[in-house]
Amino acid sequence: MRRFEDMNPLCAAFYYLCVLGLTMFGMNPLTLSLSLLSSILSAVLFGAVKGRGHAFSLILFLIAALINPLIVHNGMTVLFYFNDNPITLEAVLYGLTAAGMITASLYWLRCLSKVMTSDKVLYIFGRFSPKLALLLSMSLRFIELLRVRWRKIQDTQKALGLYRDGNLIDALRGRARVLSVLIGWTLENGIVTAESMEGRGYGSGRRTSYSAYRMHLSDWLFLPVCAGLTAVAVVGQVRSTVVFYPDMQMELWNLWGILGAAAFAVLGTLPLIINAKEALRWRGLLSKV
Amino acid sequence: MARLTLEGLSFTYPDAKAPALCDVDLQIEGGEFLTLMGATGSGKSTLLRLLKPELRQNGTLSGRVLLDGKDIGGLTARESASAVGFVAQNPEEQIVTDKVWHELAFTLESLGARRELIARRIAEIAAFFDIEPWLDRETATLSGGQKQLLNLAAVMTADPEVLILDEPTAQLDPIAASRFIDTLHRLNRETGLTVIISEHRAEELIPISDRLLILEEGRLAFCDTPKKAASALKDTAYLRFLTASARIFAGTDGAGEAPLSVREGQAYVNGLTVKEIQTAEKTAEQKASALSLKNVYFRYERRGADVLSDLDLEVKEGEIFALLGRNGAGKSTMAAVAAGLRRAYSGSVRVFSKRLKDYTNGSLYQGVLSLLPQDTENVFLRETVREELCGCEKAEERLPFDFKPLYDRHPFDLSGGERQLAALCKALSTNPRLLILDEPSKGLDGNMKALLCGVLKGLKREGVTILMISHDVEFAALCADRCALFSQGRIAAADETETFLFENRFYTTAASRITRQKTRGGYTVERAVKLLGGAGC
Amino acid sequence: MLTIRNTKVRTLLRYAIPFLLVPLLVAVGAVAFEGKRYLIISLGIAVLALLLFMTGFERRNIGSRRMVITAIMTALAVFGRFIPVFKPITAIVVLTAVYLGAEAGFFCGALSVLLSNIYFGQGPWTPFQMLGFGLIGLLAGYLGRVLERSRVLLALYGAAAGVLYSLMMDVWTVLWYSGGFDGKLYLAAIGSAVPFTVVYAVSNAAFLMLLYRPVGNKLRRIKRKYGV
């Protein structure tokens, strides 16, 4: 079973580049509402955002929506006055659209973070620069090591009587000392790592970058489909008119606008479609076992 | 033609007066298994590093190393990286990348290999070394034994002709170490790989070695088969590098061919008569408890498994108590719980009959208890030994070791043994009555172990109670009064050292295994020799 | 396949990016995308600039010791974000740059942002943050000789870097939100961020003062002992 998460990382990267680009660069209310809906759906189904995350997004949405009418007073239709400043319908609607854009982008990014594990990030960097991928991989290992060691040094020093007074200054000074030991120890031992690298051929010539990921037929198919849908959605956005200030002019429901929105709807739910299809196929396969 | 030829190899470090290595000549055939022994500082590491051009250090070198007749310095970077594989002591630090599969790929990536070759080699190596189940894990989460096995596997991906190992099992527990050595033996036997290893573990290595090399002050003092070594080294100080069987044989003035393995040793000992010596009457006085744990339960995470479960332990005042067991079984966790660094969720912990929480404001760590961890690096906070030991003068006097020559050195530049003693000195500076030591003998050679053992016994005489956590049975046999086996989160058995080692069949010393059919007290070579009527060794 | 395997292509990229792609992007952006041209242009330039540095990095022969030390310092900067109260990321980037050079500083900054965002969440701001921290490191590397000598200058640099970084990120926030550059929104954004900026700048300076001696000594020792 090849779920969206198991596809080549380039596909996932390209996909999120497309949806994020369409979401961030457009201010089309139609596309943005579709984007918001599909991003929330994606985030829930991928398990990228849980209870508290949704609450945070809601608060962010509200704040982002409120800021614009409170600061920007352009627009013809005045709704009411607040502190002697006009609050206009246009500014309110713009604020809502911008808030939708920001919220949707954040939901997409959460999905991206969930799907793009460190392995996949490394794979993509390895394509550009094997050396950089190695540097990233080494840093990731050192992060884990530092975490383990921090704990160990903290314990050791405590048991040897480092934290005597139990006040804040003592705690801070102790932390700084522990950090200092941590750095010294890690740098010192790092030389062994460097020797191990040299012993195993580092710097003997050009590196290659290995990864278990390969391009399957489905990956090759995915990329043009994704690009095609994006292209249609872009044309749809260009052909529709969205003007907020000073007077709202919206023309969303022409042929291209509808086509573009439809393309975006498919694009936004593409990973879900793939996973549903794979799940169905899996059921069929299992029944044969 | 020999695979590896060393011709008049000498090496001097930049600021040293005497050469670290002096005129070494050696021919190593393809497929040989060579064990290199010698005291710390005898030039073992220097010699091994000279065989791998990338790892040569600054200094003056004379003589040549030839690989299949070609000078090893003349190889291209790629040739030499793949021809000679090198595994060093520290399992953790040799790992470069974050994931196990990536670590296996690293060597071939560096050599610019094709993707398909890398994929195939990873599959092959993972199967041979049995690391398939953890191929996707993060390297930081592996155990020490797994890490060292991964280092070996990663070096083997380049398909080297010669494999060099510099004390690879010094940091491992005995079970992981013998697994590692078994894998080496298998590699040597099944693929004809040439192996050169420096190591202190005579029991496992000597029976499988083709030749034994002994270095002394940079010179090759001995080089022949182990069988010959046993008779040739009989009356020399080098005897200590041999197995317990050979040492008992030499100590009891045995004649004929010397036994090497435990089995041969048993056959030899069974032909001897035991002379029973009167051991001093045991003092049966009831001593107060220094540390007591009752029904202790501990786990790291709420949903995790119990690391300690229903653990009972009692350490009496003024004794040396050794807690033995496999690595990762939870021994260190128990130490942390006993020292108040982790809180047990159930059960009671008392230090000198006082509950842990009654020691407020860190008073536990001032004059009551001190814990010395496995990794002594994290004891040191300063740039020089002098600053580090400032305020430890009293403690320094208690140790039979002169720290003054080391004063201007950086703590990280000390040798393993010196560092262990300096750390111990710091731990003693708060004047603790209970000392908990975690793996104090890790990575030390025989001489240093004996010195440390003397130090611990001296502290005991001063009234310090010592709880020692170790996987080193031989070390525990040397200095502990009582031993216990830790298993499944609790103490499986605690007893007097003699009874403990006699009744254990597997978790015991080689000397005890050899002599158990004749006597129960021969659990160290020295004791065995005394009991079997030797003059002492 | 899709990689830039070919060395020639890499070299081409090195020259094409500053002289061709960036002007092209500005021109196309100015004509084509009406609503959000600044956003697209700025994001594009950030990504291209990062790409430029990466191709340079791949080209150079970097010794294993340098690699390891850079990786450790990067890891430390990321790890710093996990320690409560302590957020010494800028300080570590600056110190790395001062002792190991401009390039190491740049990558320590850029990669620590990328890696820590794996834990804390990537955003459209990631390329800007990467470039921002990268440049803080790069500049510190160029000024290394001067900064190494004086703790006060180092602290001043840290504070200034903090303020400039905040100002830059606020520009980006405004661009993202409103499409064009809106002076009022920008002032509002700066105004609301003042307390954060101040805390940030002061803590940068403080951490540099605090870490200068211990970290500096260790890096010097390593450089001397192992000849990096």
Side-chain angles (χ1 to χ4, degrees), chain C residues 191-209:
Chain C
S192 69
V194 162
F196 295 104
T197 312
V198 170
V199 170
Y200 182 55
V202 170
S203 74
N204 277 352
F207 280 124
L208 274 168
M209 296 284 263

Side-chain angles (χ1 to χ4, degrees), chain A residues 7 10 23 47 61 72-73 83 93 98 106 108 121 126 129 132 162 177 179 191 204 211 216 218 235 241 247 259 262:
Chain A
M7 289 174 76
L10 285 172
T23 306
F61 181 87
V72 177
H73 307 294
N83 277 355
L93 288 176
L106 286 180
W108 283 126
V121 175
S129 162
L132 203 62
L162 174 72
R177 283 261 208 94
L179 187 67
I191 298 308
S204 68
S211 168
H216 287 243
S218 52
V235 175
T241 319
D247 196 9
L259 268 181

